[in-house]
Amino acid sequence: MLSFHQVCASYGKNQVLDHIDFSLVPHKLTAVVGRNGSGKSTLLQSLAGTIKFDGKINFGDIRKDETGYMPQKSFAFDMSVMRNLTVTHMAKERRLYRKKALRLLEELDLAHLKRKNAARLSGGETQRLALARLMMSEYRVLLLDEPTASMDINSTALCEKVLKDYCEKWAPTVVIATHSMQQARRIADYVIFMDGGVPEEIGTPEQIFSAPRSEKTKEFLRFNT
């Protein structure tokens, strides 16, 4: 079980995470919502180990290489779209993985771009490629920071379907930061509302969106749904 124990993180004098203590439900998808600056991205960065923090995050028996992270600013390698998905695999394995890569590109409407230099993709295409790159491996933990922020409705739906299929097959623990309350409703098993660097309220989507307990949660949802 992934758990936070008195986790604090700061940027200069600005404390972004403030003595966080909670656990994630294993094998479920948890959406993290909240205002800009509430600590959503910093929470994921702490889990991914890309920033320094005080306190402790307990991963149990999960190894670092069993955690996949998609940062808010997605990137693509300066090579073909197809090669982006197979570059981390040994040459003798690439033929096996090409079939899997092509299937993912088709599911994410990128197959027609498979020979294009990925460095020339649009923002939404780059995000879809970054998600496909994660889906090539079998992770026990997935950390996705605003993974569909640059996408239109159709592309978002494709990505959510691919993520759902991945979760059904491999049952990872997934944490996704999202600005979209509709997305959190659609795909999350649990929702965390971050406010002022702490998880103000944690619950199922039905509880958070239909019967929030915290006044801060109610105020946030009043202006964001």
Side-chain angles (χ1 to χ4, degrees):
M1 178 181 291
L2 284 172
S3 56
F4 293 78
H5 303 280
Q6 292 293 300
V7 172
C8 300
S10 302
Y11 298 111
K13 295 181 179 180
N14 181 29
Q15 188 167 46
V16 185
L17 297 181
D18 187 7
H19 297 87
I20 285 181
D21 272 294
F22 74 95
S23 297
L24 292 163
V25 180
H27 312 300
K28 299 296 183 181
L29 191 153
T30 299
V32 185
V33 302
R35 300 176 180 84
N36 290 337
S38 62
K40 301 189 300 296
S41 292
T42 306
L43 182 72
L44 267 72
Q45 291 166 353
S46 298
L47 281 167
T50 60
I51 62 169
K52 293 182 179 180
F53 60 87
D54 295 319
K56 182 180 179 182
I57 299 178
N58 181 14
F59 278 79
D61 65 345
I62 299 171
R63 301 191 311 269
K64 187 173 182 179
D65 63 355
E66 293 178 314
T67 297
Y69 173 50
M70 181 175 167
Q72 192 172 107
K73 188 173 182 179
S74 302
F75 70 92
F77 298 114
D78 188 10
M79 56 183 65
S80 74
V81 167
M82 175 61 82
R83 187 74 192 282
N84 261 262
L85 300 190
T86 60
V87 67
T88 59
H89 300 287
M90 296 175 60
K92 65 181 180 180
E93 299 176 323
R94 283 179 192 152
R95 182 177 294 180
L96 297 174
Y97 281 98
R98 279 183 63 84
K99 184 176 181 180
K100 183 176 183 179
L102 184 56
R103 175 180 57 79
L104 280 167
L105 292 178
E106 289 172 346
E107 290 176 352
L108 291 168
D109 194 25
L110 290 171
H112 62 293
L113 301 173
K114 65 182 180 181
R115 293 185 178 86
K116 184 173 181 177
N117 189 315
R120 300 191 182 97
L121 296 177
S122 69
E125 290 166 346
T126 301
Q127 280 196 311
R128 278 182 278 155
L129 179 59
L131 182 64
R133 199 162 51 232
L134 277 184
M135 299 293 98
M136 288 289 292
S137 300
E138 299 162 19
Y139 292 110
R140 295 177 66 187
V141 175
L142 279 179
L143 308 171
L144 310 174
D145 194 354
E146 301 282 5
T148 61
S150 298
M151 297 183 199
D152 59 24
I153 294 174
N154 291 334
S155 295
T156 296
L158 293 177
C159 287
E160 290 178 1
K161 173 65 165 57
V162 166
L163 178 59
K164 179 182 178 182
D165 291 345
Y166 186 94
C167 289
E168 289 179 350
K169 186 172 184 178
W170 303 115
T173 301
V174 182
V175 186
I176 175 172
T178 179
H179 68 281
S180 170
M181 301 305 104
Q182 292 77 19
Q183 182 171 70
R185 281 179 182 268
R186 287 192 302 268
I187 68 174
D189 298 299
Y190 294 92
V191 176
I192 298 173
F193 169 57
M194 292 289 294
D195 185 78
V198 297
E200 175 68 20
E201 188 164 354
I202 302 175
T204 63
E206 182 179 5
Q207 184 262 303
I208 293 291
F209 293 114
S210 299
R213 295 184 293 268
S214 165
E215 289 301 321
K216 290 183 178 180
T217 310
K218 293 176 184 177
E219 180 184 5
F220 172 75
L221 293 175
R222 193 175 299 126
F223 296 101
N224 290 277
T225 55

